[in-house]
Amino acid sequence: ETGVTQTPRHLVMGMTNKKSLKCEQHLGHNAMYWYKQSAKKPLELMFVYNFKEQTENNSVPSRFSPECPNSSHLFLHLHTLQPEDSALYLCASSQVSGSTDTQYFGPGTRLTVL
Amino acid sequence: GDSVTQMEGPVTLSEEAFLTINCTYTATGYPSLFWYVQYPGEGLQLLLKATKADDKGSNKGFEATYRKETTSFHLEKGSVQVSDSAVYFCALINNAGNMLTFGGGTRLMVKP
């Protein structure tokens, strides 16, 4: 596998479910990001991790909980979501955060909350 | 704060037509500028980038020149193909180490 991978590609969940999104990067990068892409809205940065440490939380509700066990893996744990959380969730990585390094994106997880 | 403004779409062109998608930005310092492309059902792919004034980024026939005097980074292609149909995002990272800021995206539709 090369680049940035995300699983699952599609997820349908109820409002009371708990699920997790997974992202893995094979680029040797040290920074990883979660973005949310909703219909008719600009891309929203959610979280940033640099060398496994969270450096940015863009006022994201606590029903979204990120985890970064190492520089190659990033998770987004989901619980008690709302229908308006339905969106495409994109993971990205770069050499380091806080720089002008290019960010490389995964294919995204299409989340539908019923 | 930083911001990126793109022309609203959709942009509909016939195959082999000339493409321009306008992008202007507001940022502190000297940002790096990017164009990303998102094909239907996929994530964002880096199309091209420029890191300083007067740099020209190019890839797959697409070009964009970093114009500091007009704070612009317009995307151009001389002859579009049906396979270029996608959403194009202009973005910047400023050299103060802030995060990637995206424009709203421009949908391009190319008809045979």
Side-chain angles (χ1 to χ4, degrees), chain B residues 73-85:
Chain B
F73 193 55
H74 304 322
L75 183 68
E76 295 181 337
K77 186 175 185 182
S79 176
V80 294
Q81 305 300 312
V82 173
S83 57
D84 294 326
S85 298

Side-chain angles (χ1 to χ4, degrees), chain A residues 12-32:
Chain A
V12 179
M13 60 187 288
M15 293 168 62
T16 58
N17 292 157
K18 291 184 180 181
K19 296 287 185 182
S20 296
L21 310 185
K22 178 182 176 182
C23 175
E24 184 173 2
Q25 59 93 3
H26 310 267
L27 300 169
H29 290 164
N30 297 297
M32 297 188 77

Side-chain angles (χ1 to χ4, degrees), chain A:
Chain A
E1 291 265 25
T2 58
V4 181
T5 58
Q6 291 186 243
T7 55
R9 293 294 306 275
H10 301 272
L11 177 63
V12 179
M13 60 187 288
M15 293 168 62
T16 58
N17 292 157
K18 291 184 180 181
K19 296 287 185 182
S20 296
L21 310 185
K22 178 182 176 182
C23 175
E24 184 173 2
Q25 59 93 3
H26 310 267
L27 300 169
H29 290 164
N30 297 297
M32 297 188 77
Y33 310 78
W34 280 117
Y35 287 86
K36 177 182 179 183
Q37 186 178 33
S38 305
K40 300 183 180 179
K41 290 179 68 175
L43 273 149
E44 301 171 67
L45 177 67
M46 300 175 72
F47 301 104
V48 181
Y49 278 82
N50 200 36
F51 292 93
K52 302 187 298 179
E53 298 296 321
Q54 188 181 124
T55 58
E56 186 89 14
N57 177 338
N58 204 21
S59 302
V60 180
S62 60
R63 58 185 183 269
F64 295 91
S65 175
E67 178 191 0
C68 188
N70 55 61
S71 293
S72 298
H73 294 85
L74 184 65
F75 296 90
L76 188 63
H77 304 300
L78 315 171
H79 64 96
T80 59
L81 294 191
Q82 306 298 311
E84 59 264 30
D85 297 322
S86 298
L88 181 68
Y89 288 85
L90 293 165
C91 174
S93 72
S94 68
Q95 195 59 244
V96 292
S97 69
S99 71
T100 55
D101 290 339
T102 301
Q103 292 183 22
Y104 294 89
F105 285 79
T109 295
R110 173 71 61 188
L111 173 67
T112 303
V113 181
L114 301 176

